[in-house]
């Protein structure tokens, strides 16, 4: 390279780190989480125990896995409300195939293939045919749930063989301590957090959700990116469904009812904009944890579940409202 | 890095073989020819200026080169090989970089990330190298001499900085052709000088540059060759040294306007109905004018001159920073459309589909929207009186519709426009502002819209006509005002106006 054209600037001014940190949504969420933990620890003697904390983490993991998938899809500017139905539905191929073949592996594979197929249909209708994804997935939510009821006759299908391995994936603990679902959630979160921040794939989802036309002009395949996000979202919901089914020990026809809204709430609380292009999986993870500890802690304070719902709702509106105000001030 | 022809790269020889040849390019939009058999040859190491009035086809030609549109006929060769540019991605791969007129950046990303949007530098495992993105972006800005912080979020930057980011992005990767569509519209003279330095360095490296601008001084300073388009056709390609100010303007206008619209109305009245004094907004600077009853006051301006901004400001839609607007003797205060409506000013918007029509609603509902109070008793709309008023306008304006309940999206552009005009007239207006009233309307329907505007003026309304179409301007106006870069640069009687005078005032 000719040096005459080179006024090489090697040093870039460092970002003022502390100030930048407090402007970040994740920092605020982390403070909220810590405040909740402190509050419940003071309020209930049984809250801050290894047993309780690992239990909550185990429960939160199932929502976390689905939330990573949904978070990426919402960042790409789309949404999927059929994940609750899908969580319930994957248990059918899982348990039925397992009962027929005695193989947990075959059951899991068929459950994941089922989830991929649903994701592909949602993705094709939304990304390629251009139908609004809220409408598409609202439709598939009903179709899938209806299908479950028809197939099961509104009864649970038990795990006839009572495989120990099937029980273990949802209920087992590494070293008797860390629930397996938490390990799965951690792995999914770590890999896709890295993908969103440090791989072209992830930046493409941000770009597509931020401004699809600009992304197209920059040479991205907008439809393909969105399609992949739909498929991943369903795949992760499928994983959540498998773990949930193991915890329930059967394919329960009503499992996953309302699950989609829990996950949407966590994603939004985590700072992901429903308009797309804004948010991070770190925020999503904190959103999931906050909601999980909130419900557990309020329960321990013996607050009626009705009131837990009211408080959860108020916290979501308050947090997202504050975040919106903060953004407007820049 | 690949064989590098970015700004940091090694100079290559300026050879005679064309970088890009576009031959016989034709593009139709819903049957209308936006481009008709246009050819363009871009030589490496040369700056090729593209000029023409609004709607001449410059942007369409650029978008075809950028892979945004596909031509209906014609061929594109890149370094002698036939190329099929099916998407922006194809064009980028061929080394065609475009600085679009509309800012095409992701607002949530940092400056540095936007610069490398088309190709992130990665390490061997495919991880994005954020350190290099920041350092390379900073180095790029240092070389160009633009003062932009690579860590800033693009959405927080003013438009001029965003434009610099756009320009820098086109230079970050290997390029064969760099296309700049009005790159200087928000830059200061000092920044423009820096841009020209950059362009000279690019051509020294053997890149072909396409430069689109309305600013004649810039063309004479930077371009080697000028191609003029008019009404989608190729008019001339000459070395810039063979052009003068006058010959360029003549090439751009060229046409003799002989079939002007025959006006039926008499002379305008004397009573001033709209008085705008020293109006300024973010875009407009100190605009004053008066409009009289029965007058059509035409505003001409090139793209970005501020016509639409003026239209939206005087009806109270957009906020103003300073100035007074008086309608029928009463001040437009507070400055909002509700007050505007009450004082009798209405806007026929340029963007019919998104700002004017409710596409899925009926002709009736679209037309009566602004005057529901008239048909309402204690909050309930009386359908019979609404219907009869709508029917009266449908008859008077000869709106072609199978019925009043027909959804308006099924009507032709011309008939939709008539419904929107009727929406405002139903209220009994004093002033109507019409922004590009014949955009997207076929030729036959145009003269009907002209006749309606003529009729409105003869009914005693003041009509403020915003247009970029010369024949429309000259055919309808009693007086002609010209905007350039947010300022009023000329105001003249129709009798004194010539195309040359108008375009001269419109080109800064």
């Amino acid at each position: 390279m000719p040096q005459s054209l080179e006024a090489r600037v090697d040093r870039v001014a460092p970002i003022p780190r502390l100030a930048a940190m407090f402007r970040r949504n994740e920092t605020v969420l982390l403070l909220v989480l810590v405040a909740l933990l402190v509050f419940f620890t003071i309020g209930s003697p049984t809250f801050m125990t290894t047993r309780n904390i690992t239990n909550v983490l185990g429960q939160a993991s199932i929502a976390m896995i689905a939330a990573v998938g949904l978070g990426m899809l919402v960042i790409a500017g789309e949404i999927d409300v059929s994940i609750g139905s899908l969580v319930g539905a994957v248990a059918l191929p899982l348990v039925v195939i397992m009962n027929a073949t005695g193989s947990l592996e075959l059951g899991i594979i068929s459950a994941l293939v089922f989830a991929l197929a649903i994701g592909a249909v949602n993705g094709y209708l939304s990304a390629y045919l251009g139908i609004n994804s809220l409408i598409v997935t609202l439709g598939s939510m009903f179709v899938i749930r209806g299908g479950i009821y028809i197939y099961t006759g509104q009864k649970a299908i038990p795990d006839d063989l009572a495989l120990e391995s099937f029980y273990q994936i949802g209920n087992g603990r590494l070293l008797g301590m860390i629930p397996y679902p938490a390990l799965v959630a951690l792995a999914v979160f770590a890999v896709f957090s890295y993908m969103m921040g440090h791989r072209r794939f992830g930046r493409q989802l941000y770009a597509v959700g931020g401004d699809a036309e600009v992304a197209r002009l920059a040479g991205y395949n907008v439809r393909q990116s969105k399609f992949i996000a739909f498929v991943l979202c369903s795949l992760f919901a499928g994983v959540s469904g498998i773990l949930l089914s193991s915890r329930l020990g059967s394919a329960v026809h009503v499992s996953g009812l309302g699950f989609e809204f829990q996950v949407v709430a966590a994603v939004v609380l985590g700072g992901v904009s429903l308009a797309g292009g804004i948010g991070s999986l770190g925020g999503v993870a904190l959103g999931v944890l906050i909601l999980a500890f909130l419900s557990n802690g309020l329960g321990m304070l013996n607050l009626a579940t009705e009131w837990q719902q009211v408080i959860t709702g108020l916290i979501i509106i308050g947090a997202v409202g504050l975040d919106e105000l903060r953004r407007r001030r820049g | 890095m690949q064989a590098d022809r970015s700004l940091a790269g090694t100079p290559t020889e300026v050879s005679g073989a064309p970088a890009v040849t576009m031959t016989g390019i034709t593009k139709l939009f819903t049957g209308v020819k936006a481009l008709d058999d246009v050819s363009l040859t871009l030589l490496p190491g040369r700056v090729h200026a593209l000029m023409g009035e609004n709607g001449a086809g410059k942007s369409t030609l650029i978008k075809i080169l950028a892979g945004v549109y596909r031509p209906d006929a014609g061929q594109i060769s890149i370094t002698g090989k036939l190329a099929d540019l099916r998407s922006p991605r194809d064009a980028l791969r061929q080394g065609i970089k475009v600085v679009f007129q509309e800012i095409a950046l992701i607002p949530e990303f940092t400056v540095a990330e936007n610069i490398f949007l088309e190709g992130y530098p990665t390490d061997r495992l495919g991880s994005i190298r954020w350190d290099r993105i920041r350092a390379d972006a900073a180095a790029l800005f240092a070389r160009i001499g633009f003062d932009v912080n690579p860590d800033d979020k693009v959405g927080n930057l003013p438009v001029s900085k965003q434009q610099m980011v756009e320009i820098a992005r086109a230079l970050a990767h290997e390029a064969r052709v760099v296309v700049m569509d009005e790159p200087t519209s928000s830059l200061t003279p000092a920044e423009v000088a820096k841009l020209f330095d950059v362009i000279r360095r690019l051509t020294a490296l053997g890149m072909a540059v396409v430069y689109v601008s309305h600013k004649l001084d810039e063309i004479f300073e930077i371009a080697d060759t000028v191609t003029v388009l008019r009404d989608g056709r190729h008019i001339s390609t000459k070395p810039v040294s063979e052009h003068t100010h006058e010959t360029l303007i003549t090439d751009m206008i060229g046409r003799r306007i002989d079939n002007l619209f025959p006006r039926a109305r008499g002379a305008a009245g004397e009573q001033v109905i709209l008085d705008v004094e020293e109006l300024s907004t973010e875009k407009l600077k100190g605009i004053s004018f008066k409009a009289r009853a029965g007058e059509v006051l035409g505003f001409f301006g090139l793209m970005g001159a501020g016509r639409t901004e003026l239209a939206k400001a005087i009806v109270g839609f957009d906020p103003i920073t300073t100035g007074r607007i008086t309608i029928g003797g009463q001040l437009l205060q507070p400055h909002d459309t509700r007050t505007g409506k009450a004082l009798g000013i209405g806007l026929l918007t340029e963007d019919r589909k998104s700002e004017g029509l409710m596409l899925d609603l009926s002709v009736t509902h679209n037309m009566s929207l602004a005057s529901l109070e008239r048909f309402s008793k204690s909050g309930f709309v009386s359908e019979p009186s609404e219907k009869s008023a709508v029917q009266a306008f449908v008859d008077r304006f000869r709106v072609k519709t199978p019925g009043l309940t027909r959804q308006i999206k099924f009507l032709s552009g011309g008939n939709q426009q008539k419904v929107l005009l009727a929406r405002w007239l139903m209220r009994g207006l004093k002033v109507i502002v019409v922004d590009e009233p014949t955009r997207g309307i076929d030729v036959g329907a145009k003269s009907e819209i002209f006749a309606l505007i003529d009729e409105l003026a003869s009914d005693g309304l003041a009509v403020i006509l915003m247009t970029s179409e010369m024949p429309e301007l000259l055919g309808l106006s009693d007086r002609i005002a010209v905007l350039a870069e947010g300022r009023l640069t000329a105001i003249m009687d129709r009798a004194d106006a010539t195309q040359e005078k108008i375009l001269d005032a419109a080109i800064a």
Side-chain angles (χ1 to χ4, degrees):
Chain A
M1 284 190 257
Q3 286 305 308
S4 57
L5 285 175
E6 282 293 288
R8 183 105 204 159
V9 175
D10 283 317
R11 247 176 260 151
V12 181
I15 310 173
R17 292 199 178 236
L18 202 68
M21 221 174 80
F22 274 94
R23 255 181 283 133
R24 289 180 60 141
N25 184 44
E26 289 89 335
T27 317
V28 178
L29 288 171
L30 190 61
L31 291 177
V32 170
L33 180 60
V34 170
L36 276 180
L37 293 179
V38 170
F39 177 75
F40 289 130
T41 305
I42 296 167
S44 160
T46 47
F47 178 77
M48 195 47 88
T49 56
T50 317
R51 193 75 217 167
N52 185 51
I53 298 296
T54 53
N55 269 342
V56 177
L57 290 180
Q59 285 156 10
S61 304
I62 289 172
M64 178 85 83
I65 296 163
V68 167
L70 186 71
M72 292 195 294
L73 182 62
V74 175
I75 285 171
E78 303 289 336
I79 196 162
D80 184 347
V81 293
S82 71
I83 54 176
S85 295
L86 186 58
V87 159
V90 291
L92 299 179
L94 174 70
V95 172
V96 170
I97 299 281
M98 205 165 51
N99 284 344
T101 64
S103 160
L104 171 66
E105 290 78 6
L106 279 180
I108 289 180
I109 289 170
S110 42
L112 293 181
V113 168
F114 181 82
L116 283 175
I118 296 290
V121 171
N122 282 341
Y124 179 76
L125 293 173
S126 303
Y128 286 97
L129 294 191
I131 310 174
N132 182 300
S133 57
L134 179 63
I135 294 166
V136 166
T137 58
L138 199 62
S140 45
M141 176 182 97
F142 285 118
V143 170
I144 298 168
R145 184 63 67 186
I148 299 174
Y149 290 163
I150 293 167
Y151 185 84
T152 61
Q154 309 238 38
K155 286 192 295 283
I157 300 177
D159 159 32
D160 293 335
L161 307 173
L163 289 177
E164 176 60 16
S165 55
F166 178 55
Y167 174 82
Q168 282 295 330
I169 55 169
N171 300 283
R173 285 167 183 249
L174 183 70
L175 309 171
M177 171 106 150
I178 307 161
Y180 289 139
L183 291 178
V184 177
L186 189 66
V188 165
F189 169 74
V191 169
F192 281 89
S193 237
Y194 162 76
M195 296 289 278
M196 291 306 276
H198 296 275
R199 300 298 282 215
R200 199 181 129 85
F201 162 80
R203 303 317 294 172
Q204 200 162 327
L205 293 186
Y206 277 103
V208 163
D211 191 325
E213 187 55 23
V214 172
R216 199 174 80 87
L217 291 176
Y220 292 159
N221 188 334
V222 174
R223 291 172 169 179
Q224 192 188 61
S225 305
K226 291 192 169 188
F227 179 80
I228 292 172
F230 273 104
V231 171
L232 282 176
C233 179
S234 287
L235 183 67
F236 290 162
V239 173
S240 292
I242 292 168
L243 295 172
L244 184 63
S245 163
S246 159
R247 290 179 85 95
L248 299 170
S250 54
V252 182
H253 57 290
V254 291
S255 99
L257 270 180
F259 179 77
E260 59 278 350
F261 292 111
Q262 270 178 43
V263 177
V264 169
V267 165
V268 171
L269 180 64
V272 177
S273 159
L274 286 178
I278 302 176
S280 74
L281 293 187
V284 169
L286 287 165
V288 172
L289 291 177
I290 289 173
L291 290 183
F293 279 110
L294 191 68
S295 127
N296 170 264
L298 291 177
M300 291 204 144
L301 298 181
N302 292 320
L303 194 73
T305 46
E306 297 88 322
W307 282 105
Q308 290 183 28
Q309 295 216 7
V310 172
I311 291 177
T312 306
L314 291 177
I315 285 184
I316 291 169
I317 295 172
V320 175
L322 277 179
D323 192 37
E324 184 63 36
L325 287 178
R326 200 172 47 87
R327 264 188 234 286
R328 271 186 216 168
R329 273 183 308 168
Chain B
M1 254 190 246
Q2 308 153 291
D4 194 330
R5 256 200 272 189
S6 74
L7 195 55
T10 327
T12 50
E13 288 214 359
V14 178
S15 63
V20 172
T21 320
M22 301 176 83
T23 329
I25 303 289
T26 297
K27 178 72 190 171
L28 301 154
F29 287 115
T30 56
V32 181
K33 273 188 183 169
L35 283 176
D36 186 2
D37 192 20
V38 171
S39 298
L40 188 71
T41 302
L42 305 176
L43 297 175
R46 294 276 185 276
V47 178
H48 198 124
L50 205 50
M51 294 204 78
E53 285 187 285
N54 299 341
K58 295 164 297 182
S59 290
T60 310
L61 190 62
I62 286 172
K63 285 190 169 155
I64 286 172
L65 184 58
V68 177
Y69 299 148
R70 300 192 67 192
D72 294 305
Q75 291 180 336
I76 302 172
S77 310
I78 296 172
T79 59
K81 281 189 290 272
L82 219 54
D84 184 13
L85 307 176
R86 289 163 171 272
S87 70
R89 179 203 289 261
D90 291 344
L92 288 168
R93 282 206 188 123
Q94 296 275 5
I96 296 165
K97 307 281 168 178
V98 183
V99 179
F100 288 102
Q101 196 181 0
E102 321 85 49
I103 304 286
L105 302 169
I106 305 279
E108 281 296 316
F109 283 4
T110 64
V111 168
E113 182 167 8
N114 266 293
I115 292 203
F116 290 95
L117 206 55
E118 288 157 17
Y120 291 92
T122 52
D123 62 19
R124 263 173 305 158
L125 299 173
S127 288
I128 294 171
R129 293 200 50 194
W130 289 108
D131 54 337
R132 254 199 52 199
I133 288 181
R134 287 176 70 213
D136 288 2
L140 182 63
F141 282 115
R143 283 196 298 272
I144 303 173
F146 283 166
D147 176 27
V148 181
N149 179 356
D151 293 325
D152 281 344
K153 203 170 92 173
V154 161
N156 295 341
L157 295 178
V159 180
S160 66
K161 296 248 174 179
Q162 293 189 3
Q163 200 160 43
M164 293 183 214
V165 178
E166 276 266 4
I167 293 167
R169 183 168 72 166
L171 311 179
H173 298 285
E174 181 186 8
R176 189 173 276 129
V177 178
V178 176
V179 182
M180 300 188 179
D181 192 358
E182 306 220 24
T184 59
S185 56
S186 349
L187 299 189
T188 65
E191 288 157 357
V192 173
K194 283 175 187 163
L195 175 65
F196 284 0
D197 274 351
V198 172
I199 292 178
R200 290 192 188 98
R201 278 188 275 165
L202 294 178
T203 51
L205 292 169
M207 271 181 244
V209 175
V210 179
Y211 194 87
V212 182
S213 177
H214 288 309
K215 298 174 185 169
L216 288 183
D217 299 346
E218 290 183 0
I219 300 295
F220 282 106
E221 187 180 343
I222 196 72
D224 299 300
T225 315
V226 185
T227 288
V228 177
L229 300 182
R230 187 202 312 147
D231 301 331
R233 289 198 190 82
H234 178 269
I235 299 303
S236 66
T237 298
K238 283 185 208 167
V240 75
S241 54
E242 290 176 21
H243 268 300
T244 63
H245 206 101
E246 288 70 34
T247 59
L248 256 181
I249 288 191
T250 312
D251 276 1
M252 283 166 70
I253 300 169
R255 77 174 98 76
R256 291 212 334 275
I257 299 181
D258 18 47
N259 284 326
L260 279 187
F261 173 75
R263 60 185 271 173
R265 66 181 190 274
E270 283 305 310
Q271 187 203 351
V272 172
I273 295 212
L274 173 70
D275 188 356
V276 175
E277 296 163 87
E278 286 298 321
L279 173 77
S280 292
T281 68
E282 238 170 64
K283 168 91 192 180
L284 305 169
K285 296 168 195 105
I287 290 182
S288 303
F289 64 89
K290 291 176 171 50
R292 295 175 184 84
E295 174 182 53
V296 177
L297 174 58
F299 276 87
F300 181 81
L302 296 170
M303 197 75 82
R307 278 171 287 129
T308 297
E309 289 82 356
L310 179 63
K312 286 185 173 171
I314 57 182
V315 299
F317 187 88
D318 277 355
I320 61 173
T321 46
T322 57
R324 287 154 55 92
I325 297 163
T326 316
I327 298 153
Q330 279 179 287
L331 209 55
L332 178 60
Q333 184 77 285
H335 189 85
D336 55 30
T337 47
R338 190 187 151 87
T339 316
K341 211 164 102 170
L343 295 183
I345 190 166
L347 170 67
L348 190 66
T349 164
E350 151 195 58
D351 190 353
R352 204 161 52 230
K353 290 232 159 61
S354 76
E355 292 179 355
L357 295 169
M358 292 179 291
L359 290 169
D360 290 323
L361 293 189
S362 65
V363 169
T364 303
H365 288 140
N366 268 288
M367 197 189 284
S368 64
L369 181 71
S371 22
L372 287 179
E373 314 85 275
R374 267 187 50 193
F375 313 121
S376 303
K377 263 182 228 143
S378 48
F380 291 96
V381 177
S382 147
E383 283 193 29
S385 64
E386 180 188 16
K387 244 189 209 151
S388 66
V390 169
Q391 187 64 53
F393 272 101
V394 166
D395 296 343
R396 177 176 157 201
F397 285 180
R398 296 171 298 277
V399 180
K400 287 189 199 77
T401 173
L404 300 187
T405 53
R406 185 73 168 167
Q407 284 178 315
I408 199 147
K409 66 181 170 196
F410 296 116
L411 268 56
S412 71
N415 285 302
Q416 289 175 347
Q417 198 67 307
K418 290 179 189 175
V419 171
L420 285 178
L421 264 176
R423 175 190 292 175
W424 290 113
L425 297 177
M426 202 175 250
R427 281 193 61 80
L429 285 183
K430 297 194 184 80
V431 186
I432 184 154
V433 182
V434 291
D435 192 5
E436 299 285 359
T438 59
R439 174 167 295 175
I441 285 174
D442 62 61
V443 185
K446 270 186 186 180
S447 59
E448 284 197 60
I449 300 288
F450 290 165
L452 278 182
I453 290 174
D454 191 57
E455 192 183 326
L456 297 180
S458 60
D459 280 359
L461 265 80
V463 181
I464 309 296
L465 168 72
M466 306 289 176
T467 181
S468 57
E469 305 241 350
M470 243 353 144
E472 189 169 307
L473 180 80
L474 293 167
L476 281 171
S477 310
D478 293 290
R479 285 187 305 143
I480 289 166
V482 184
L483 293 173
E485 297 191 13
R487 289 176 204 282
L488 189 64
T489 51
I491 189 156
M492 54 192 115
D493 281 335
R494 167 67 185 91
D496 305 328
T498 62
Q499 292 192 66
E500 286 76 11
K501 267 194 196 171
I502 295 167
L503 201 57
D504 210 43
I507 293 178

